[in-house]
Amino acid sequence: MKGSIIIVGFFILGIITGRLGWLSIDAAGFDISFTALALLMLCVGIGVGSDLGALRNLRTLDSRLLLLPLVTIFGTLAGCAVLGFFMPWRTIPETLAVGSGFGYYSLSSIFITQYKGPELGTVALLANISREIITLLGAPLLLKLSGPLSPISSGGATSMDTTLPIISNVSGKEFVILSIYHGFTVDFSVPFLVTFFCSI
């Protein structure tokens, strides 16, 4: 929750900075958005490279549970496609691009802003922050309604970091390794799916 508040705070600071003209996005030919994206991808790579030990523990899991990330991805995209029919002001590929953030608001919103502009990038930011907050606050209810895998799926890409503590607390410590694997796999799909749907 604290991380989400910090991100929203920086987002608001960015709006104020942009409105007041304190900093140009392409000042002197220097593309700040691209540089931030490149640094973010570097950090993702460092995180993946330093946490490979957790992936070795996947051998202890039921092999059917390894399909959970695919269920999350296809379920999210199916829901976004259905919602796209009820939003004529947005194309279905745009709603799919927003949904493809899977809670990874920082990366997906930067990609979408670069491809589709700041308006849809802002929608992506708010939609993916909302996914994380819903997981943090609604995990106990999700557990009661759908079982211990639902908070993991709801967390999307965040199930390996920010929502992991609540998932561990609600679903049980035996699901921690699955949650990390799920988050890692979904996280890995974000840049590919977002850019694919933005390019349609």
Side-chain angles (χ1 to χ4, degrees):
M1 184 75 81
K2 181 181 177 182
S4 298
I5 293 171
I6 292 171
I7 293 295
V8 171
F10 274 101
F11 174 67
I12 293 170
L13 180 62
I15 292 174
I16 294 169
T17 301
R19 292 292 297 169
L20 297 177
W22 290 345
L23 187 63
S24 173
I25 292 297
D26 295 305
F30 182 72
D31 190 343
I32 294 173
S33 295
F34 176 77
T35 304
L37 177 59
L39 289 173
L40 194 58
M41 292 302 291
L42 174 67
C43 292
V44 170
I46 291 170
V48 169
S50 63
D51 200 26
L52 291 178
L55 297 179
R56 294 191 194 103
N57 294 328
L58 288 174
R59 296 172 188 165
T60 63
L61 294 176
D62 183 338
S63 58
R64 291 174 296 179
L65 293 177
L66 298 179
L67 297 175
L68 183 61
L70 293 178
V71 173
T72 298
I73 291 169
F74 286 117
T76 299
L77 295 180
C80 290
V82 171
L83 287 174
F85 284 108
F86 298 99
M87 295 187 288
W89 59 93
R90 290 289 176 201
T91 66
I92 291 178
E94 285 176 341
T95 60
L96 290 171
V98 170
S100 294
F102 302 113
Y104 196 167
Y105 45 78
S106 52
L107 182 64
S108 62
S109 60
I110 290 175
F111 270 123
I112 292 172
T113 297
Q114 285 202 327
Y115 277 89
K116 294 291 186 178
E119 182 182 348
L120 193 63
T122 302
V123 171
L125 175 72
L126 296 175
N128 286 290
I129 286 178
S130 297
R131 180 172 188 154
E132 179 181 344
I133 292 173
I134 287 169
T135 304
L136 290 170
L137 299 179
L141 180 60
L142 290 170
L143 176 71
K144 288 181 180 179
L145 292 175
S146 306
L149 298 181
S150 57
I152 298 173
S153 191
S154 173
T158 70
S159 67
M160 70 174 183
D161 44 53
T162 54
T163 60
L164 183 59
I166 189 68
I167 289 169
S168 173
N169 186 45
V170 170
S171 297
K173 295 188 186 300
E174 63 271 24
F175 289 96
V176 167
I177 297 301
L178 175 62
S179 186
I180 292 171
Y181 158 74
H182 174 270
F184 170 80
T185 307
V186 174
D187 190 318
F188 185 74
S189 75
V190 171
F192 300 102
L193 290 175
V194 170
T195 53
F196 171 74
F197 289 120
C198 284
S199 64
I200 295 177

